[in-house]
Amino acid sequence: MSEQGRKHDVVVIGGGQSGLAVGYFLRRTGLSYVILDQEAGSGGAWRHGWDTLTLFSPAKWNSLPGWPMPPSEGEFPGRDHVIDYLVRYEARYDFPIVRPVRVETVDRDGDELVVRTEGGDWRARAVVSATGTWSQPFVPDYPGAADFEGAQIHSADYRGPDGFAGQTVLVVGGGNSGAQILAEVSKVANTLWVTLEAPTFLPDDVDGHVLFERATDRLHANLEGRKPGTPKGGLGDIVMVPSVIDARERGVLGSVRPFERFTGTGVVWRDGTGTRIDAVIWCTGFQPAFAPLSRLGLVEPGGRVRVEGTRSVAEPRLWLVGYGEWTGFASATLIGVMRGARDTVREIEAALR
Ligand SMILES: Cc1cc2nc3c(=O)[nH]c(=O)nc-3n(C[C@H](O)[C@H](O)[C@H](O)COP(=O)(O)OP(=O)(O)OC[C@H]3O[C@@H](n4cnc5c(N)ncnc54)[C@H](O)[C@@H]3O)c2cc1C
């Protein structure tokens, strides 16, 4: 590719749902742009989800801007339905995506930012970081973890329950990943569910889009200085998808509070008693994939970049999209990323014109 072909108004790093949502708005601006993605194909993090990974809400609540997600076979779409949607979404809008290309660093060079990859450099007047979090699994620090001789995997690497048959398995983490993985591993293994506090379960007839509506109402109430009209509830509350209802019926959905430390063969609880454990599955979340930004000196000790909206305060040619609440309400969801992506592109357009 010529040097000119690698010079754009905007380079988007990451071709998952967030990068595509940004692309959707960019293609209507007339600005030149490219999306660089390290995956071999479409789908972003969804390509690495476990086989039975199920969305919290029906398809129509999981749409990117412009084209609704087609209905799924069951009520809640699974991983492959989402990947198929993202494949077709990309084809529909014919985004300029280059794959597989991993961005190593972003550097400043005069008026431009230089996006450096193993396959050469791209230059841009603005960069959008949409690298997601899936490649940065977070595991909390527990004393003795290094001495534990059993298996430890993160939900990012979990594929299915088969390898755990007949074992005693700790599932750590009280969100939807923890609940869904516990539900299927408990069919073949003895499981113990460790959560910081008792998980909050939604009623069976309430799906995840209600969480989104409640959170939206709270956001508006906050802005308007009124009391929210909806019950409390966070986007992390557990949605009773069929597998989790089945786990409750089998009586395996109880949880215990965290242990104190690991031993070579298990864990010791806060009351001093111990349990022998074969394996631990960490469903303890993720951190932003900010390796490409490291040389810009923007990433703070907690792993975030200071932003106003989605724009970096210290590097005004950089925007961050899709990392969760701190980069926009519900921005790490398919339906929620639209607002941040749209506002980001508006700002970029104003800055570059
Ligand atoms: C159990 C579970 C259920 C979920 N249910 C829902 C749901 O119902 N609805 C919903 O909306 N969301 C749901 N999610 C969340 C969703 O999976 C993620 O939040 C989403 O994938 C984030 O999209 P993204 O585009 O920001 O990041 P990603 O999908 O991770 O895309 C980022 C892309 O950037 C690439 N990349 C990273 N670093 C580089 C680099 N240096 N150079 C080049 N490319 C790079 C990555 O490989 C990837 O392709 C769920 C997650 C879980 C675990």
Side-chain angles (χ1 to χ4, degrees), residues 144-152 262-267 276-280:
D147 305 327
F148 177 60
E149 288 154 15
Q152 295 187 55
F262 279 101
T263 64
T265 54
V267 294
R276 221 185 140 79
I277 301 293
D278 297 305
V280 182

Side-chain angles (χ1 to χ4, degrees), residues 14 16-18 37-39 44-46 53 56 62 103 132 292 332-334:
Q17 63 200 39
S18 302
D37 188 40
Q38 68 186 4
E39 296 294 327
W46 297 102
L53 174 53
F56 317 138
N62 288 291
V103 174
T333 64
L334 284 155

